[in-house]
Amino acid sequence: MDKIEVILKSALKLFVGFGFHATPTSKIAKEAGVANGTLFHYYNTKEELILALYKHTQGQLSTYVQPKVSKEDSLEMVFRSIYTNTIEWSVENKAESAFIQQFSSSPLHSLISPEDMNSQAAILLDFIHEGIKTANLKHLPADLLQTLITSHISGVTQYLLAGEFSKVKQNKIIKESFELLWDMIT
Amino acid sequence: MDKIEVILKSALKLFVGFGFHATPTSKIAKEAGVANGTLFHYYNTKEELILALYKHTQGQLSTYVQPKVSKEDSLEMVFRSIYTNTIEWSVENKAESAFIQQFSSSPLHSLISPEDMNSQAAILLDFIHEGIKTANLKHLPADLLQTLITSHISGVTQYLLAGEFSKVKQNKIIKESFELLWDMIT
DNA sequence: CATTTTATAGACTGATTAGTCAGTCGATAA
DNA sequence: TTATCGACTGACTAATCAGTCTATAAAATG
C-alpha cells in the first residue's frame, strides 16, 4: 500500500476521533507506521496535509457518484441518482463523510480555493439551473435550492448513520426521503 | 460586565475564527482582558470551558425561541414559530450559530450528556410526536422528521448568511421556505 | 556501473501550550 | 485594628508540538 494512502487513512481516522488540532503529527506517523519526517516529505505543513486529505476525500465521493450519473437520463433520474449515491457513499464511508462534515464547518474551510471547491456541488448546481429553465423545478433561487437539497441529503445521512438499518430498510428510507424532496422542489 | 461573560464571549469569537484547539487559552485570556489564571479559576480545563460555552450558547437560542412558542397555537403555528425564530436568531447571531455548528460536527459533541442535549431539539420532537398522532404530519419516523426539519433550518440559515439580504427579503425567504417544508411534512 | 534523485528514518529543537501555584488585593466582618 | 475570605493575578513549568536536520537506503537515470 502506498505510503501516502496510509498516511491519509491514518490522519482521517485520528482527525475524526480527536479533531485536526488535537491530533499531533507524531501520532499520525505512528498510526501510519512511518517516521515523523516522512510526513513532512510529502506535506510541508500539517495544514497542507489536512487540505490534501479534504480534497482527496471529496474526490473519492465524486469518483463514486459521477460515473453513475448519466446525462441521458431524465432530470428526475439524474437528481435521484446523485441523491441516492451520495447518501449511500456517505453511509458506507462513515469516517470520510464525518471528516467532510467536520472540515466544512471548521475555519479551515475558508482556505480551500473556489476551483477546488466540491465538483459535486458544481454539477448539482448545473442540473438545478437546467431544471429551473425547463420549469421542471420550482422557480426559486438556484443556490437556495442547492442548499436545501444538500441539507436534505446530509440530514438523511445523519439519520441513517445514527440508527442501525438493514440494507433493505435503508434503501426504503432513501427512496421515500427522495420523494419528499422531489415533491418539495418540483 | 461579568468576567465569565467576557471570557465566554472572547472564547466564542476566537473559536469561530480559528477553531477550539488552534485557540490557546492564553489568547482567550488576553482577548478577554483577564489574567491567564482567571480562566482556570472558573473552568478546570480548557475542555470544560468549551463545553460550558456550548451549553451557554444553546441556552441563549432556547431562551430566544421558547417564550415565543405558545402552546395555545395550532400545530402549524407552533412549527412556524420555532422555524422562523430559530432562523432569525441564527442569522442575527452569526458567530453563535457558527460555533454551534462547528461544535456539533466535532468529536467533542459526543461528550455532552443526553440530558444537556439541546432542549430545543426535545421540544421539537414533542411537537412532532403530537403532529404524527393527530395525523397533522405524515406518518414517518419521528426522528427522521426531526432530522429533516433541523437540516432544512440549517440549510436556509446558511443560505441567508452567505448572501446579504434586506430584512424584507429575508422574511420572504423564511416564509417561503417554511411553506416548502410544511408541504413536505404534512 | 556510477551518479544523481527520491524516499525514509528518527533524533532533535525552539516555540508554544495547558495548567499550577504562591501570593495580592479589596471587601466584609469580628 | 485585625482576621478571614475568595476572586483574581501572572510568572512559571513540564509536556507537547510542528517542523528541521543529518544520515542512509532505494530507485531512477544515463
Side-chain angles (χ1 to χ4, degrees):
Chain A
M1 199 178 184
D2 192 7
K3 292 245 153 124
I4 293 188
E5 282 292 324
V6 186
I7 290 172
L8 289 179
K9 200 175 163 184
S10 306
L12 178 79
K13 178 179 165 186
L14 293 168
F15 286 164
V16 170
F18 305 101
F20 325 124
H21 289 108
T23 302
T25 51
S26 56
K27 289 247 171 62
I28 298 172
K30 188 174 278 180
E31 171 82 23
V34 302
N36 218 301
T38 306
L39 234 76
F40 292 94
H41 176 68
Y42 291 108
Y43 305 101
N44 290 318
T45 64
K46 186 185 180 182
E47 189 176 289
E48 210 173 88
L49 163 66
I50 299 173
L51 296 178
L53 178 58
Y54 176 70
K55 287 173 202 168
H56 178 254
T57 310
Q58 254 325 142
Q60 288 192 306
L61 171 57
S62 296
T63 305
Y64 181 87
V65 174
Q66 282 176 28
K68 294 181 169 141
V69 178
S70 162
K71 269 275 190 189
E72 311 305 314
D73 287 336
S74 70
L75 207 67
E76 179 176 347
M77 269 312 293
V78 166
F79 274 104
R80 190 185 289 273
S81 182
I82 293 175
Y83 184 89
T84 305
N85 287 299
T86 301
I87 294 176
E88 272 172 11
W89 183 88
S90 300
V91 172
E92 272 157 33
N93 299 274
K94 197 167 173 165
E96 282 79 359
S97 57
F99 174 72
I100 290 179
Q101 177 71 32
Q102 189 184 323
F103 181 89
S104 298
S105 43
S106 85
L108 286 175
H109 193 236
S110 63
L111 292 180
I112 64 159
S113 53
E115 63 262 28
D116 280 328
M117 210 139 185
N118 205 350
S119 71
Q120 204 65 7
I123 286 178
L124 180 58
L125 198 54
D126 275 350
F127 285 115
I128 291 173
H129 277 123
E130 198 189 316
I132 294 174
K133 210 169 353 179
T134 61
N136 282 90
L137 296 179
K138 278 190 183 144
H139 192 72
L140 288 165
D143 44 349
L144 175 56
L145 277 175
Q146 186 192 17
T147 305
L148 290 178
I149 294 168
T150 305
S151 302
H152 195 94
I153 288 174
S154 82
V156 174
T157 302
Q158 269 176 254
Y159 176 72
L160 290 173
L161 283 175
E164 269 305 320
F165 298 101
S166 70
K167 220 39 185 196
V168 174
K169 198 101 215 297
Q170 180 181 303
N171 287 338
K172 192 175 161 231
I173 292 164
I174 294 175
K175 191 169 179 305
E176 286 177 1
S177 65
F178 177 77
E179 308 303 340
L180 291 177
L181 175 65
W182 187 247
D183 286 347
M184 182 175 84
I185 64 179
T186 55
Chain B
M1 198 176 184
D2 192 6
K3 290 238 157 128
I4 293 188
E5 282 291 324
V6 187
I7 289 172
L8 291 178
K9 200 175 164 183
S10 306
L12 178 79
K13 177 179 165 186
L14 293 168
F15 286 164
V16 170
F18 305 101
F20 327 124
H21 289 109
T23 303
T25 51
S26 57
K27 289 247 172 64
I28 299 172
K30 189 175 277 179
E31 171 82 24
V34 301
N36 220 300
T38 307
L39 237 74
F40 293 94
H41 177 69
Y42 290 110
Y43 305 102
N44 290 319
T45 64
K46 186 184 178 183
E47 188 176 290
E48 211 173 89
L49 163 66
I50 299 173
L51 296 178
L53 178 58
Y54 176 70
K55 288 174 200 168
H56 179 254
T57 311
Q58 231 3 117
Q60 287 192 309
L61 171 57
S62 296
T63 305
Y64 180 87
V65 175
Q66 283 176 26
K68 293 181 171 141
V69 178
S70 163
K71 270 274 190 187
E72 312 304 314
D73 287 336
S74 71
L75 208 67
E76 179 176 348
M77 267 313 292
V78 166
F79 274 104
R80 190 186 289 274
S81 181
I82 293 175
Y83 184 91
T84 306
N85 287 300
T86 302
I87 294 176
E88 273 171 10
W89 182 87
S90 301
V91 172
E92 273 157 34
N93 299 274
K94 197 167 174 165
E96 282 78 0
S97 56
F99 174 71
I100 289 178
Q101 176 71 32
Q102 190 184 323
F103 181 89
S104 298
S105 43
S106 86
L108 287 175
H109 192 237
S110 62
L111 292 179
I112 63 158
S113 53
E115 63 263 27
D116 279 329
M117 209 141 186
N118 205 348
S119 70
Q120 204 66 6
I123 287 179
L124 179 58
L125 198 55
D126 275 350
F127 284 116
I128 291 172
H129 277 122
E130 198 187 316
I132 294 174
K133 209 170 354 181
T134 61
N136 282 90
L137 296 179
K138 277 188 183 144
H139 192 72
L140 288 164
D143 44 351
L144 175 56
L145 277 175
Q146 186 192 18
T147 305
L148 290 178
I149 294 168
T150 306
S151 302
H152 195 95
I153 288 175
S154 82
V156 174
T157 302
Q158 269 176 254
Y159 176 72
L160 290 173
L161 283 175
E164 270 305 321
F165 298 101
S166 70
K167 214 57 181 183
V168 174
K169 197 100 214 298
Q170 181 181 302
N171 287 337
K172 191 174 161 236
I173 292 164
I174 294 176
K175 192 169 177 306
E176 286 177 0
S177 66
F178 178 77
E179 308 302 341
L180 290 177
L181 174 65
W182 188 246
D183 286 347
M184 181 174 84
I185 64 179
T186 55

